[in-house]
């Protein structure tokens, strides 16, 4: 089943194919929180405990259909994840590793629609990770998390081995990000971290 992807203003659109080959989870790490705050409107990104609802899938299942010029990329630190967003309206899109041979993409819920729509396509939240930095005590889900990861890692490994990691809308054929990465300055990062 396909699931459409859209930034808040609608300029950037796309499609997630194979929505069943995904694992949904909530990440409470300080970096995801800072990313949500840096782009503005954090109340639309983070839940009441600072969690970001993320759908993990393979980059080859993601394609953009319009507004690709608006796709932008930042990292909180030099070594950090590539955090993709729509610069037209500051909508978080997803996170990838710097190395495109590991074709993980964690799509942020903000580009996937309402919780109900997301649940219909990708199923319920199966893991809550980095809960130590949550603002509260979210319940961890060790059993469903282990099951989801056991399903997901083989897909990731297979895509690495069969070369299908090369099918990605986030990198060129030689593994260069399609948008120039901006690394936050120390001040920008501190501001984003402390804004919550
Ligand atoms: Zn937009
Ligand atoms: Zn995180």
């Amino acid at each position: 089943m396909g699931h459409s992807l859209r930034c808040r203003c609608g300029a950037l659109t796309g499609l997630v194919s194979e929505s069943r080959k995904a694992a949904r989870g909530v990440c409470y790490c300080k970096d995801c929180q800072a990313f949500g705050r840096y782009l503005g409107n954090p109340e639309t990104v983070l839940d009441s405990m600072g969690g970001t609802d993320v759908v993990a899938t393979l980059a080859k299942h993601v394609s953009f259909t319009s507004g690709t010029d608006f796709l932008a990329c930042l990292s909180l630190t030099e070594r950090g994840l590539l955090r993709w967003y729509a610069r037209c309206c500051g909508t978080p899109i997803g996170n990838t590793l710097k190395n495109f041979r590991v074709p993980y993409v964690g799509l942020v819920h903000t580009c996937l629609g309402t919780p109900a729509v997301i649940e219909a396509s990708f199923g319920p939240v199966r893991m809550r990770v980095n809960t130590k930095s949550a603002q509260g005590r979210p319940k961890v889900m060790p059993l469903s998390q282990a099951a989801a990861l056991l399903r997901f890692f083989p897909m990731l490994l297979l895509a690495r081995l069969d070369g299908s990691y090369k099918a990605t809308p986030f990198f060129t054929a030689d593994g260069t990000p399609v948008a120039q990465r901006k690394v936050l300055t120390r001040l920008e990062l501190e501001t984003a971290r402390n804004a919550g």
Side-chain angles (χ1 to χ4, degrees):
M1 190 164 79
H3 183 105
S4 56
L5 180 160
R6 181 184 185 279
C7 67
R8 287 190 196 98
C9 79
L12 178 68
T13 62
L15 189 73
V16 188
S17 63
E18 305 282 355
S19 63
R20 289 295 169 194
K21 294 188 177 169
R24 187 172 164 216
V26 179
C27 184
Y28 297 88
C29 84
K30 287 188 162 39
D31 284 356
C32 287
Q33 295 186 42
F35 179 48
R37 293 196 192 104
Y38 178 76
L39 292 180
N41 305 306
E43 68 285 354
T44 64
V45 182
L46 306 174
D47 67 21
S48 59
M49 290 194 256
T52 304
D53 192 341
V54 168
V55 170
T57 187
L58 301 182
K60 67 176 173 180
H61 297 320
V62 180
S63 56
F64 294 106
T65 44
S66 71
T68 45
D69 286 355
F70 294 117
L71 188 63
C73 174
L74 66 81
S75 290
L76 300 181
T77 60
E78 191 57 48
R79 296 174 67 180
L81 293 176
L82 302 187
R83 293 178 180 271
W84 299 88
Y85 63 99
R87 63 181 165 78
C88 38
C89 53
T91 304
I93 301 295
N95 306 309
T96 66
L97 303 188
K98 279 163 85 174
N99 180 354
F100 80 138
R101 292 186 177 83
V102 186
Y104 161 88
V105 53
L107 294 170
V108 179
H109 70 96
T110 36
C111 69
L112 299 173
T114 64
V117 168
I118 292 173
E119 183 136 351
S121 288
F122 303 104
V125 168
R126 296 191 198 279
M127 54 188 122
R128 297 201 178 94
V129 298
N130 300 310
T131 52
K132 282 204 178 83
S133 38
Q135 293 146 20
R137 288 183 173 272
K139 258 197 187 153
V140 291
M141 311 169 82
L143 290 180
S144 64
Q145 173 167 339
L149 293 178
L150 280 173
R151 250 183 93 245
F152 189 70
F153 277 125
M155 292 190 245
L156 203 58
L157 187 63
L158 184 65
R160 168 76 180 89
L161 295 176
D162 71 7
S164 62
Y165 65 87
K166 289 176 189 153
T168 167
F170 300 103
F171 297 91
T172 62
D174 67 353
T176 308
V178 296
Q180 176 85 41
R181 179 176 73 132
K182 170 192 166 61
V183 179
L184 299 201
T185 63
R186 190 179 284 246
L187 181 64
E188 285 172 324
L189 180 57
E190 266 171 35
T191 306
R193 282 210 199 287
N194 297 327

